[in-house]
Amino acid sequence: MDKKKLSERDICTKFISPAIQEAGWDIHMQVREEVSFTKGRIIVRGKLHSRGEQKRADYILYYKSNIPIAIIEAKDNGHSVGAGMQQALNYAETLEIPFVFSSNGDAFLMHDRTGNSSRIEQEIALNEFPSPEALWQRYCVWKGIQTEQAKSTVEMPYYDDGSGRAPRYYQASAINNTIEAVARGQQRVLLVMATGTGKTYTAFQIIWRLWKSGTKKRILFLADRNILVDQTKNNDFKPFGAAMTKISKRQIDKSYEIYLSLYQAVTGNEEDKNIYKQFSPDFFDLIVVDECHRGSASEDSAWREVLEYFNKATHIGLTATPKETKEISSITYFGEPVYSYTLKQGIEDGFLAPYKVVRIDIDKDLQGWRPNAGQVDKKGQLIEDRIYNQTDMDRTLVLEKRTELVAQKITEYLTLTDSYAKTIVFCDDIDHAERMRQALVNLNPERVKENRKYIMRITGDENEGKAELDNFINPEERYPVIACTSKLMTTGVDAQTCKLVVLDQNIKSMTEFKQIIGRGTRINEDYGKYWFTIMDFKKATELFADEKFNGPPIVVYEPKPDQPVVPPEDEDTSTQTGGAAGEGGEDDPFGPEPEPGLGRVKYVVGNVTVHVVSERVQYYGPEGKLITESLKDYTRHTVRKDYASLDDFLKTWTSAERKAALIDELEQHGVLLDALAEEVGKDFDAFDLICHVAFDQPPLTRKERAEQVKKRNYFAKYGEQARQVLNALLEKYADTGVENIEDIKILTLDPFKSMGSAPELISAFGGKPAYLQALKELEQQLYA
């Protein structure tokens, strides 16, 4: 056996796996091979999408089923021992795995990421691979897990319902980091996970392991919306069964172990309403606060009272958007996040939906509007004489024709794409949401006749609309299709099939912006939801360019006269002054909604015409930035990144063993050939589309290429049956392209099966190698 001729898989089977097993690893319980841990980024062009490449590790080794501890990247013996190390380190960093190995079957190169070794990298023999116990001891030192109780807590397995569902890699990291922090005795823990990445499921697994290990016996889970508490109890938390109760009707039963509560249900302004005080201060061992940016970190918030009362308990905060303003700081209270998983990471991994942005600018928003001297509005109010601009629209000034124009654009989009695509329209207040509902109803009479619930206002003040919220988020329910809202649906609404998010709201808060965008980021493949569109009328999406959109949160520190100017325990951090501020500081995006007719003065004007100034479409690009360019321009730029010249591309195309593999690689870089064919022409194959768009070459249709091959008569050297096969392959190429003729299974389909069985047709060429060589020559003739 020549080791140099073995494939990478052979090296794994014959050398790496036996070495692992000899070191004491249980191949069935502790070792997984070829582990895909991302889904592959969703790439959108036009109406089409594709998936990028998944990240896949050759081996992941687990001390326990929930604790990944080592990763191995294998290469064939033609490579050096350490050839896979950089790739393995990249994966280890993502998966937070400390021990990294590369091997070509001769030995292992080991890299220790813990910082506790005298040598970071060293080569070891195959029979020197470390045992599970040896790596576990080093892992515990790295994580600061010292006591037997701490080890017992960390080793407690996940809840397994037998369905095969297991935490995704980032959920596993979030759970493990939190469990390890609690096991070390950390009392305040912050976990930051983008909307749509499964915070509640992650919270359940954290609580389950702490509860089952006996580390935390009585637990309170606080949420800010009744629907969130009910969803949590009936779905992710269901396995707690009879040990769990929901606090309702302001009544306390101390016989349970897991308590779920709406925070308003346990707090109140009057002393007798603070029912949480019926529990002793040491009753709960653990309090988990969902959506903790919503006020728990504010010193004067109701949640803060509960947390301070149960101050001996461990407090875990969960949020997609840690809030850092002059009044509220999640980090000051909970500490730096033990784990963060951003929207950008979720999109790159393919777990969250990417987005297009349609930006629509309206003339009166940008140029402003000024009333005539003495002009009154529809209510007879004298309109204050000044210039009204975008920030005034629908807050202090209502231009009815502007509302109609926005509704018209929403209707146009849905008509051209999918009239039943779930849509959320974010308005400035309840009054604006009601006017938008009316405008949309008038523009969609046929749909409203089908079902009056096609368009609903879902706001906090109206019970009928709120009653339809469950139907809106249920993928199996067609109605409502369009939900007009203001504050109610900004957070905690799991709208898996929402395909259009409309922003006609003045959004200055990054926290609120992230929460609103999160309404569309869930993927539901069963219902064809892979991406979504943001339609922006108020320039809110300019916040995408803000470095805080995906950057780490920053604590805001304003020293008082008797405090030092440097923030405590962070002497090299410069003083910050809060998030995006409007007049009088950042608006509280989650404050009470103004009731119609109350609050600020609002002028309603019906006879002012408005026009669209500009419309443009932007895509979420591979680097996480919005791209504004045509499909052809994007293709040209993308292809030329990999192929500087036409010659470079031709050499790669000609030498490719399988053209389909090269086409797949192009699509993983975002070059969607089907969408390109819609623009350039459906009769061209991938080769001509790329050469034409990227390198300005005149294209030939597939049929023209096939005819050129026939004229050369190069088939004459083959026998009659082989010539028949090659002619049929040419016809197939002319109809469907090169990818299909490369698959040998085509010989089992019409018209080939009428010529003979697949083995017979292959033997007409003298065997499989000769057939594959003939196919290669045919491709050379096609692209000569």
Side-chain angles (χ1 to χ4, degrees):
M1 181 176 61
D2 185 350
K3 202 173 186 180
K4 294 290 183 189
K5 291 183 178 178
L6 294 178
S7 68
E8 182 182 298
R9 187 80 329 242
D10 285 334
I11 294 293
C12 291
T13 305
K14 297 178 189 301
F15 297 97
I16 297 176
S17 293
I20 297 169
Q21 201 162 7
E22 284 176 26
W25 295 84
D26 186 324
I27 291 294
H28 299 291
M29 302 298 292
Q30 292 182 300
V31 179
R32 290 183 62 199
E33 295 185 52
E34 296 188 312
V35 186
S36 294
F37 56 90
T38 68
K39 292 273 284 183
R41 187 172 67 90
I42 294 172
I43 302 155
V44 181
R45 289 290 173 270
K47 296 178 183 178
L48 302 175
H49 74 274
S50 67
R51 283 267 190 193
E53 194 173 359
Q54 295 180 326
K55 289 184 177 178
R56 187 175 68 180
D58 290 329
Y59 290 85
I60 297 181
L61 276 53
Y62 298 78
Y63 180 68
K64 297 286 186 181
S65 61
N66 53 302
I67 306 173
I69 197 169
I71 190 167
I72 305 172
E73 188 62 31
K75 295 295 178 186
D76 63 46
N77 202 247
H79 290 80
S80 67
V81 172
M85 181 53 74
Q86 291 194 137
Q87 184 179 353
L89 284 169
N90 181 17
Y91 291 170
E93 195 172 77
T94 300
L95 298 169
E96 297 200 332
I97 290 175
F99 305 110
V100 190
F101 299 85
S102 171
S103 179
N104 66 349
D106 289 339
F108 289 102
L109 180 66
M110 177 181 178
H111 183 110
D112 185 343
R113 298 180 62 238
T114 67
N116 295 322
S117 177
S118 57
R119 293 182 65 188
I120 295 175
E121 283 192 3
Q122 59 180 315
E123 190 171 306
I124 58 176
L126 290 177
N127 63 3
E128 294 176 334
F129 195 86
S131 69
E133 206 55 45
L135 291 187
W136 175 239
Q137 294 305 322
R138 293 165 73 173
Y139 182 93
C140 290
V141 171
W142 177 49
K143 289 288 190 174
I145 302 164
Q146 297 172 343
T147 66
E148 288 305 312
Q149 173 61 40
K151 288 181 182 179
S152 167
T153 302
V154 171
E155 290 179 17
M156 180 57 57
Y158 298 119
Y159 171 77
D160 184 354
D161 62 2
S163 69
R165 182 186 184 187
R168 294 169 174 169
Y169 87 82
Y170 63 85
Q171 292 171 337
S173 292
I175 296 162
N176 287 341
N177 284 10
T178 304
I179 297 289
E180 288 159 1
V182 174
R184 289 193 300 268
Q186 191 170 320
Q187 287 292 93
R188 306 287 179 265
V189 180
L190 179 62
L191 197 52
V192 178
M193 294 171 67
T195 300
T197 56
K199 285 196 300 297
T200 310
Y201 174 69
T202 302
F204 161 72
Q205 291 286 9
I206 290 168
I207 295 169
W208 177 269
R209 285 173 62 185
L210 292 173
W211 180 58
K212 277 291 181 182
S213 67
T215 306
K216 303 295 178 185
K217 295 183 174 66
R218 287 189 291 219
I219 296 147
L220 174 63
F221 181 87
L222 285 172
D224 69 321
R225 297 276 173 91
N226 209 35
I227 187 173
L228 289 180
V229 176
D230 292 337
Q231 280 176 359
T232 300
K233 184 173 184 285
N234 298 329
N235 298 323
D236 287 321
F237 279 37
K238 195 173 183 180
F240 287 124
M244 171 177 60
T245 187
K246 174 187 173 183
I247 297 175
S248 58
K249 298 180 181 176
R250 312 193 72 77
Q251 294 176 355
I252 294 297
D253 183 340
K254 299 179 183 178
S255 62
Y256 293 91
E257 295 175 76
I258 311 293
Y259 292 80
L260 280 69
S261 177
L262 185 70
Y263 79 88
Q264 294 94 327
V266 294
T267 61
N269 293 327
E270 299 168 27
E271 187 65 26
D272 61 346
K273 288 185 179 179
N274 289 331
I275 62 164
Y276 65 87
K277 292 185 178 178
Q278 293 178 38
F279 295 107
S280 63
D282 59 356
F283 184 84
F284 291 110
D285 306 307
L286 173 66
I287 299 178
V288 179
V289 186
D290 193 23
E291 307 289 359
C292 69
H293 63 277
R294 296 286 298 270
S296 63
S298 173
E299 289 186 18
D300 59 355
S301 76
W303 289 13
R304 188 64 170 261
E305 280 184 39
V306 178
L307 296 179
E308 287 179 352
Y309 183 76
F310 300 110
N311 64 359
K312 293 178 183 176
T314 300
H315 300 167
I316 298 176
L318 306 173
T319 182
T321 51
K323 192 166 187 179
E324 303 305 321
T325 69
K326 284 180 281 188
E327 293 79 25
I328 297 174
S329 171
S330 303
I331 290 174
T332 297
Y333 184 80
F334 288 103
E336 290 291 333
V338 295
Y339 187 76
S340 294
Y341 189 71
T342 65
L343 171 65
K344 182 178 178 181
Q345 287 172 289
I347 292 174
E348 286 302 312
D349 288 342
F351 294 120
L352 294 181
Y355 44 82
K356 289 185 195 178
V357 176
V358 178
R359 283 181 171 162
I360 300 175
D361 295 330
I362 296 173
D363 59 348
K364 298 299 185 291
D365 290 21
L366 302 188
Q367 299 160 10
W369 176 80
R370 184 177 180 181
N372 298 321
Q375 185 173 349
V376 296
D377 75 346
K378 293 184 76 172
K379 301 175 185 176
Q381 299 177 103
L382 178 66
I383 303 172
E384 181 187 350
D385 183 19
R386 65 179 179 85
I387 295 174
Y388 295 83
N389 57 31
Q390 192 165 58
T391 57
D392 295 300
M393 298 300 167
D394 298 299
R395 293 176 68 80
T396 54
L397 176 69
V398 174
L399 299 180
E400 290 183 332
K401 291 193 180 298
R402 185 191 179 284
T403 307
E404 291 168 12
L405 178 61
V406 172
Q408 179 190 329
K409 286 296 174 184
I410 296 168
T411 302
E412 280 177 17
Y413 180 85
L414 291 174
T415 303
L416 291 170
T417 55
D418 175 5
S419 296
Y420 295 96
K422 297 274 184 171
T423 300
I424 306 177
V425 185
F426 286 98
C427 303
D428 262 309
D429 53 27
I430 290 171
D431 170 60
H432 184 196
E434 173 56 25
R435 286 185 291 101
M436 187 61 69
R437 185 197 67 81
Q438 293 174 23
L440 285 163
V441 164
N442 289 330
L443 286 168
N444 293 272
E446 296 302 317
R447 302 286 177 234
V448 175
K449 280 180 191 173
E450 288 172 16
N451 192 305
R452 68 176 182 84
K453 295 179 181 178
Y454 179 77
I455 301 156
M456 293 291 290
R457 170 166 65 90
I458 301 179
T459 50
D461 71 315
E462 206 239 5
N463 289 331
E464 185 167 356
K466 281 196 291 187
E468 291 299 322
L469 184 56
D470 282 348
N471 290 328
F472 179 82
I473 64 180
N474 185 350
E476 295 181 5
E477 293 290 340
R478 171 168 273 195
Y479 302 103
V481 173
I482 303 175
C484 299
T485 189
S486 56
K487 304 290 185 191
L488 185 66
M489 296 175 71
T490 52
T491 184
V493 177
D494 188 7
Q496 297 175 20
T497 54
C498 176
K499 292 184 177 180
L500 179 62
V501 174
V502 179
L503 306 179
D504 197 26
Q505 186 180 107
N506 287 289
I507 303 170
K508 299 299 181 187
S509 157
M510 182 62 75
T511 301
E512 184 179 19
F513 179 64
K514 285 183 177 181
Q515 290 288 342
I516 286 175
I517 297 308
R519 298 314 102 210
T521 54
R522 287 166 175 82
I523 293 169
N524 189 316
E525 297 187 11
D526 293 339
Y527 289 86
K529 162 68 185 302
Y530 292 91
W531 53 276
F532 70 107
T533 300
I534 302 164
M535 184 176 282
D536 180 16
F537 293 92
K538 293 276 181 80
K539 288 186 176 293
T541 51
E542 288 183 352
L543 286 170
F544 280 131
D546 191 313
E547 64 182 15
K548 293 192 290 293
F549 180 68
N550 263 319
I554 298 169
V555 172
V556 178
Y557 174 69
E558 288 192 345
K560 294 175 182 175
D562 59 341
Q563 291 179 320
V565 72
V566 179
E569 299 179 2
D570 195 8
E571 297 187 348
D572 58 352
T573 300
S574 57
T575 303
Q576 302 292 329
T577 56
E583 293 178 17
E586 185 186 56
D587 293 331
D588 177 9
F590 303 110
E593 301 185 35
E595 295 179 20
L598 298 177
R600 57 182 174 266
V601 175
K602 185 181 288 188
Y603 305 112
V604 181
V605 181
N607 56 356
V608 176
T609 58
V610 295
H611 305 283
V612 170
V613 176
S614 66
E615 289 184 58
R616 56 197 183 278
V617 178
Q618 297 178 303
Y619 296 94
Y620 184 94
E623 286 80 37
K625 295 182 179 178
L626 290 175
I627 299 168
T628 309
E629 62 184 340
S630 72
L631 181 59
K632 288 182 182 178
D633 287 342
Y634 180 82
T635 301
R636 178 192 292 266
H637 295 156
T638 303
V639 171
R640 288 193 167 189
K641 278 182 187 175
D642 293 327
Y643 307 102
S645 68
L646 176 61
D647 281 346
D648 288 343
F649 177 69
L650 293 177
K651 284 174 189 172
T652 305
W653 182 270
T654 305
S655 63
E657 284 293 322
R658 290 181 64 252
K659 307 295 186 278
L662 184 56
I663 290 167
D664 285 345
E665 188 179 320
L666 287 166
E667 294 201 331
Q668 286 167 10
H669 285 82
V671 177
L672 296 190
L673 295 165
D674 288 344
L676 204 59
E678 291 284 339
E679 286 195 25
V680 179
K682 294 182 179 179
D683 297 327
F684 304 116
D685 78 354
F687 176 82
D688 282 283
L689 288 171
I690 296 299
C691 290
H692 174 62
V693 172
F695 302 107
D696 301 315
Q697 296 300 303
L700 291 176
T701 65
R702 292 190 300 271
K703 192 168 183 180
E704 286 171 337
R705 288 194 175 278
E707 288 299 324
Q708 284 187 355
V709 173
K710 288 177 184 177
K711 287 175 186 175
R712 296 188 196 118
N713 198 29
Y714 100 97
F715 293 164
K717 65 180 180 177
Y718 294 100
E720 183 179 348
Q721 192 173 30
R723 285 201 303 273
Q724 276 187 305
V725 172
L726 290 169
N727 272 306
L729 286 171
L730 264 185
E731 292 300 325
K732 280 288 184 185
Y733 165 80
D735 287 341
T736 61
V738 72
E739 301 103 305
N740 289 328
I741 69 170
E742 287 187 327
D743 189 343
I744 202 166
K745 291 177 184 174
I746 197 171
L747 299 179
T748 64
L749 308 174
D750 287 329
F752 300 96
K753 65 181 182 182
S754 62
M755 302 176 191
S757 68
E760 287 172 351
L761 299 182
I762 290 169
S763 67
F765 291 86
K768 186 176 178 181
Y771 169 77
L772 294 175
Q773 182 58 35
L775 183 63
K776 189 172 184 180
E777 287 179 12
L778 175 59
E779 290 183 352
Q780 288 170 352
Q781 290 290 326
L782 280 169
Y783 300 111

